[in-house]
Amino acid sequence: VVEVIFAQENWQIFPNPVSSVLYISPPEQGSYLYVVYDMYGREMIKGENLQQIDISSWGSGAYFLRVSQKGKSFMTQFWIQN
């Protein structure tokens, strides 16, 4: 489990590495936006308030997740291992 400090709260992004579904566990209720980029900076998917991202059809490698909530954001890396 990768825990990321976000506005002094813990977000959990797991598992890492991932092979089928990436889980996003926010520390509190509320709306948030997310964007996933591949290692070349291409946007793979974006949305709002999704706590599971199906990545089973994506290629292996490094990806980046950016999450924004209440005017603050963070970015973390995760790996897909198929």
Side-chain angles (χ1 to χ4, degrees):
V1 174
V2 175
E3 293 185 349
V4 179
I5 303 300
F6 177 84
Q8 300 182 354
E9 297 290 339
N10 289 327
W11 285 72
Q12 294 184 347
I13 312 300
F14 60 94
N16 193 8
V18 59
S19 61
S20 59
V21 177
L22 182 70
Y23 295 93
I24 304 171
S25 180
E28 62 184 53
Q29 296 292 344
S31 180
Y32 64 91
L33 303 174
Y34 68 90
V35 182
V36 176
Y37 302 96
D38 69 9
M39 66 180 125
Y40 302 106
R42 294 181 295 216
E43 188 176 287
M44 299 296 293
I45 189 173
K46 68 179 176 180
E48 186 175 346
N49 303 328
L50 188 65
Q51 294 184 357
Q52 298 179 26
I53 301 174
D54 179 3
I55 53 84
S56 60
S57 64
W58 300 4
S60 296
Y63 292 81
F64 299 89
L65 170 69
R66 188 177 85 208
V67 179
S68 302
Q69 184 180 46
K70 298 179 183 176
K72 298 180 182 179
S73 64
F74 79 86
M75 184 176 281
T76 190
Q77 183 179 33
F78 66 94
W79 290 87
I80 296 179
Q81 193 172 44
N82 293 333

